[in-house]
Amino acid sequence: MSKKSRTKGATFERAVCKAIYEELGVEVRRNLSQFQESGLGDIELEPFLIECKRYASGNWFQKSWWEQCKAAAAKGNLIPVLIWKYDRQPIRVTVPMYMINSDWAVDSGQFSWPTEGNAMFPMSCELDVGMALMREWIV
């Protein structure tokens, strides 16, 4: 990965941290350990693990991004949130379908989030809708 690509990604991660603060009132920081240890997400905000992706061209998230996000979130029993952007396009947020209705996620007596199955089907939306969904889940 080139220095320019790393800089672009880090700048986007900082912009996401700022948006979280402005929309949710919670100060978060980039996970700098992600460069030293594989399988970590970019930002942690209980109960979410946020993975950020910023690329020049495309029109939809890559399946590998979602798989990476799900795997990292499962390690910490967190909810995966993928925030991504292509040049000259709005920021998009991809979350598991169960964020729409928590009954799809948690059975009585269960205290971990699903990691597979229909509840994990990815749903994408614009940043403001994604932030509204996250706001509902913050304890």
Side-chain angles (χ1 to χ4, degrees), residues 42-89:
D42 297 326
I43 302 166
E44 283 190 30
L45 169 61
E46 190 74 33
F48 307 107
L49 179 115
I50 302 168
E51 184 69 34
C52 301
K53 298 292 182 182
R54 176 74 168 86
Y55 284 85
S57 62
N59 60 5
W60 202 245
F61 71 92
Q62 303 296 313
K63 183 178 179 184
S64 62
W65 300 348
W66 182 238
E67 295 302 321
Q68 176 188 2
C69 187
K70 288 190 326 181
K75 281 184 175 180
N77 192 29
L78 299 169
I79 299 171
V81 176
L82 174 63
I83 301 179
W84 49 280
K85 180 179 178 14
Y86 291 109
D87 289 353
R88 295 173 292 288
Q89 293 186 28

